[in-house]
Amino acid sequence: MSNRFQSLFDVQREHFLSDATKSHDWRIDQLDRMERLLIDNSQALCAALYQDFGKPPFEQLFEITVPSGVIKYYRENLKTLMAPQPTPIPAGLEATGNRGVIYKEPYGVTLVIGPFNAPILLLLDPAIAALAAGNPVILKPANTTPATAALFAKLIPEYFAPENVAVVTGGREEIGELLALPFDFIFFTGSSAVGKVVMRAAAENLTPIILELGGQNPTIVDATANLDIAADRIAWGHNAISGQWCIAPGYVYVHESVAGVFIEKLKASIVRMYGEDPSRSPDFARMISEHDAERVASYILPEKVVHGGRFDVKARYVEPTILYPSTWDDPALQQEVFGPVLPVMPYRDLKEIVGIVKCKPKPLAAYIFSKDQATIDFALGSLSFGGGCINQTNLHCWIDSLPFGGVGNSGMGKYYGKAGFYALSNTKAMLIGNPDLELDVFPPYAGKDIAKNLSVFS
């Protein structure tokens, strides 16, 4: 059975093998084209985001400004990133005229599969890193954001030659055909379940991959925390994009001595941000589908609702909801909620709850609100997660100098800024030898002072 995308793949592979994509000029040209696409069509892109799931204006512009900032970083730093890097080698070798150099070379044709929740940002950020590293790219936008995907299908051919950047739209069938091709690199952002499918397909061709997945992101609020700050930042971090954010706080452990006060402040923060009726707020997005609205609504236990709890599946609406006191037996704690329902649990002993969290799948993010350095150090030293914040939520994913990615069930590989360039580049380590150095370590060994000859390696 023929593959519909074989010819597109072949065009990009042939172009890559010509070495055209390895030059600084090619990379800058592609970055410039991507920047023009974003600037020229910012209003249309924002309108598509609103059409797909009611994304509010700030969250729309965020998807334009962040990739624009990444492009700026690469434009300013690309020559340095591309330059061969001298590296130390054993003193004996160096003294005899040898040297170590690390080269960064592009992998080749790269497939970027984007998610629905940030369908511009989380599609283009990996693509920008791939282009900066010298890789042609095939983009696969999420089919669950049809307006955004259709706009990409229109715009990409207007700004890019197909041998450099191309786009494929569609759903499961199209992804299956793409994954059957022997890509040189695959970058996937989405659920852990689909990530496993991508990883299995990549294994057929031993294709290197980055998986940006998700999980239940823990948040700890201890007795010393600034509760006003914690409430505001958790309320925003959890409910932005209607909770459909892979780094959103997934649940909160709050010390029992401040739990009641914290809950009241959290409720007040939600009302202040989204009003008494968030369904009328221009700043509160909708769920991506009726199915997801129904799924998230099913996690709401009426007897534990202390705020919110209303939903309208047909309107794809679930109200920002707090469940308290939650337990690990509750439906909202059996998986990543990926919606605006927040379980909150009181705790007494920090070591006990850290021990519980450590036994769960490793999350993409974690957040700690505390003024006690011993608490912070203990939690950071004991818990494994992709990245996170102290006395903040979510903001670490905006900063291109902080490598972003998961660990274990929440993904593998890091990107953003320098880390993104390195992740999408093959590290080619070279020993540059002294052409006149006599080093006899070859058979026959009898009568030779091998130890003396090998001493240059120490």
Side-chain angles (χ1 to χ4, degrees):
M1 180 178 174
S2 63
N3 190 308
R4 286 176 289 171
F5 310 119
Q6 183 71 56
S7 60
L8 177 58
F9 175 86
D10 290 342
V11 164
Q12 290 203 351
R13 169 61 64 80
E14 182 179 359
H15 189 53
F16 175 74
L17 293 177
S18 74
D19 290 337
T21 72
K22 295 180 178 179
S23 72
H24 178 268
D25 287 348
W26 181 89
R27 302 179 198 208
I28 290 295
D29 181 46
Q30 306 314 306
L31 296 176
D32 287 346
R33 290 170 183 270
M34 189 68 78
E35 184 176 57
R36 290 199 300 273
L37 183 153
L38 287 166
I39 293 172
D40 295 349
N41 303 281
S42 60
Q43 289 186 342
L45 289 164
C46 288
L49 291 173
Y50 185 80
Q51 182 178 339
D52 279 329
F53 59 119
K55 218 167 201 189
F58 175 81
E59 294 169 18
Q60 296 168 13
L61 290 174
F62 172 69
E63 294 215 38
I64 307 297
T65 57
V66 171
S68 297
V70 175
I71 291 170
K72 180 176 183 290
Y73 168 82
Y74 284 129
R75 185 184 289 116
E76 294 174 351
N77 294 278
L78 191 55
K79 285 188 176 180
T80 300
L81 292 170
M82 291 177 63
Q85 301 169 356
T87 190
I89 58 174
L93 277 176
E94 199 164 45
T96 51
N98 299 280
R99 57 195 176 92
V101 181
I102 294 175
Y103 293 85
K104 293 291 185 180
E105 65 176 13
Y107 279 104
V109 184
T110 298
L111 173 63
V112 176
I113 304 174
F116 77 82
N117 58 329
I120 299 171
L121 168 63
L122 294 180
L123 183 73
L124 295 191
D125 261 11
I128 290 164
L131 293 169
N135 305 285
V137 176
I138 294 177
L139 300 170
K140 172 58 186 70
N143 68 314
T144 46
T145 49
T148 307
L151 188 57
F152 273 127
K154 172 182 177 292
L155 294 177
I156 292 295
E158 293 178 5
Y159 286 83
F160 295 95
E163 64 268 25
N164 296 326
V165 182
V167 61
V168 170
T169 58
R172 183 177 301 178
E173 183 178 341
E174 286 75 14
I175 290 177
E177 286 192 62
L178 286 168
L179 290 175
L181 296 169
F183 282 94
D184 298 297
F185 199 96
I186 297 174
F187 196 118
F188 170 78
T189 303
S191 70
S192 298
V194 180
K196 293 176 183 178
V197 174
V198 173
M199 194 169 183
R200 281 193 290 268
E204 289 297 315
N205 295 298
L206 297 178
T207 299
I209 59 174
I210 287 179
L211 299 177
E212 294 297 338
L213 308 176
Q216 292 176 299
N217 301 319
T219 302
I220 297 172
V221 180
D222 81 356
T224 72
N226 182 322
L227 298 182
D228 292 305
I229 291 292
D232 275 351
R233 292 172 184 177
I234 293 169
W236 169 76
H238 179 74
N239 292 301
I241 324 178
S242 200
Q244 298 165 109
W245 203 349
C246 57
I247 56 169
Y251 59 92
V252 177
Y253 266 123
V254 57
H255 193 271
E256 61 181 10
S257 66
V258 295
V261 176
F262 171 74
I263 290 293
E264 292 306 311
K265 289 181 180 293
L266 185 60
K267 290 159 62 175
S269 293
I270 293 171
V271 171
R272 189 162 55 250
M273 292 177 190
Y274 303 110
E276 294 287 350
D277 183 2
S279 69
R280 303 178 59 150
S281 170
D283 300 315
F284 188 67
R286 294 299 179 262
M287 300 300 297
I288 193 62
S289 68
E290 291 183 21
H291 168 77
D292 283 282
E294 185 174 33
R295 174 185 60 80
V296 173
S298 73
Y299 303 150
I300 299 173
L301 299 179
E303 67 274 17
K304 294 193 176 183
V305 172
V306 294
H307 183 82
R310 294 173 291 188
F311 58 89
D312 182 339
V313 170
K314 291 294 183 183
R316 297 184 294 162
Y317 170 72
V318 179
E319 184 176 16
T321 298
I322 304 168
L323 302 178
Y324 180 82
S326 292
T327 72
W328 283 105
D329 293 326
D330 294 349
L333 282 161
Q334 300 306 305
Q335 65 289 300
E336 183 180 14
V337 171
F338 220 65
V341 173
L342 180 64
V344 180
M345 295 179 282
Y347 80 91
R348 178 176 301 171
D349 182 81
L350 180 67
K351 290 185 179 180
E352 179 185 1
I353 64 165
V354 166
I356 293 170
V357 173
K358 286 175 70 172
C359 294
K360 305 294 179 182
K362 295 178 180 179
L364 182 59
Y367 307 106
I368 304 164
F369 287 86
S370 175
K371 296 178 184 178
D372 180 57
Q373 195 59 46
T375 293
I376 295 168
D377 291 343
F378 172 72
L380 285 180
S382 191
L383 294 175
S384 179
F385 52 93
C389 304
I390 305 298
N391 298 313
Q392 297 278 5
T393 62
N394 304 53
L395 296 182
H396 65 292
C397 79
W398 297 15
I399 301 170
D400 59 29
S401 60
L402 294 177
F404 180 76
V407 58
N409 197 66
S410 60
M412 60 182 65
K414 307 284 185 178
Y415 74 119
Y416 277 21
K418 181 189 292 187
F421 181 89
Y422 285 177
L424 273 297
S425 300
N426 175 47
T427 298
K428 190 159 59 179
M430 299 297 297
L431 175 65
I432 312 300
N434 179 347
D436 299 316
L437 175 66
E438 293 185 10
L439 188 65
D440 188 1
V441 293
F442 312 114
Y445 298 122
K448 294 181 179 177
D449 189 347
I450 302 299
K452 179 180 179 181
N453 283 326
L454 289 178
S455 66
V456 298
F457 293 97
S458 62

